[in-house]
Every structure is written in C-alpha cells, then in structure tokens.
Amino acid sequence: MSDLELLIKKVSRYVSFGQPVSSGSVINQRISDPRVPISACYMSMKLMNEQEHYYYEIWLKKEGMFAVTEAWYKETTVSRSLLYDDLTYEQLAEVYGDEDSRTVIMRMNEIIKKSENEDWHRMLGSRRV
C-alpha cells in the first residue's frame, strides 16, 4: 500500500461523507435540496474565473478516489455540477494542477493531525475521572 493510500485510509476514519448540494443555500441547506450523485467530503477549492465566481472543488470519495465539481457562487447560494468522477490522485493532479493537488494532501494531513490531537485529549480526559 502506498503512502497516499495509507493517508486516504487514515483521513477517511475522521471525516464525514455526504452528498454535496447541487444547488441551494450555502448557509441553510435542507435535506430536500438537490444533490450531486456522489458520497464525498470537501477537500479544496480553486478559483477558475473571478468575474463569474466560478470554482473547481475537490472532493474525497468514500472509496478513496477523487471527484471535481464546478461551482458558481452567488452571494449565499451555490450551483454545482460534477465535472470529473473517480479520479486517482495522479489524474487529479493532471486536472487540478500539481501544486494545487498538493493542497489536498496538506488538508488531509491537517485533518488527521487535528483529529488525532482531539482523540488524545479525549483519552486523557477520560483517564482523569
């Protein structure tokens, strides 16, 4: 198993996977809002066109693959659609760029570090009782 596969497996223990909203309010999402047909966790965003408020968003899927959505933000609403699905990290780097793909790795490491730190504090707290 590669270092990246181990990283993805580890971060998958700490994140919540869900279906991203395809259109609706960024602040007040409802269960009835239309959803993108993937189960994933948000990882990163890249501005593609400032005038149109157009972004690429990177999502880690439960299966360890990546998805890219295109998203248009207007005030407090978002409209997004699935652009690429079931990408390996190497394919993600081709689509998203090497440097920006590394931010996904950094985010996964930050999630793991923060989660392990919280686990450690919870474990110490339970021993004090």
Side-chain angles (χ1 to χ4, degrees), residues 11-12 14-20 38-44 57-69 104 107-108 111:
V11 79
S12 293
Y14 294 114
V15 298
S16 298
F17 293 95
Q19 284 189 290
I38 59 172
S39 182
C41 176
Y42 172 81
M43 287 286 126
S44 181
E57 298 170 320
I58 303 304
W59 302 82
L60 173 63
K61 296 177 61 176
K62 273 186 175 182
E63 307 80 30
M65 303 293 274
F66 294 92
V68 177
T69 55
V104 173
R107 173 142 164 81
M108 286 192 281
I111 291 168

Side-chain angles (χ1 to χ4, degrees), residues 40-100:
C41 176
Y42 172 81
M43 287 286 126
S44 181
M45 165 187 281
K46 178 180 179 178
L47 179 62
M48 300 304 287
N49 184 313
E50 191 171 0
Q51 290 78 19
E52 295 181 19
H53 307 282
Y54 175 63
Y55 297 84
Y56 276 5
E57 298 170 320
I58 303 304
W59 302 82
L60 173 63
K61 296 177 61 176
K62 273 186 175 182
E63 307 80 30
M65 303 293 274
F66 294 92
V68 177
T69 55
E70 52 185 352
W72 293 265
Y73 286 87
K74 192 173 271 186
E75 297 173 15
T76 61
T77 62
V78 65
S79 188
R80 69 172 55 97
S81 63
L82 189 59
L83 190 60
Y84 299 101
D85 195 11
D86 291 329
L87 297 175
T88 64
Y89 179 78
E90 292 77 20
Q91 292 169 322
L92 177 66
E94 289 175 21
V95 170
Y96 201 55
D98 286 330
E99 188 174 323
D100 291 313

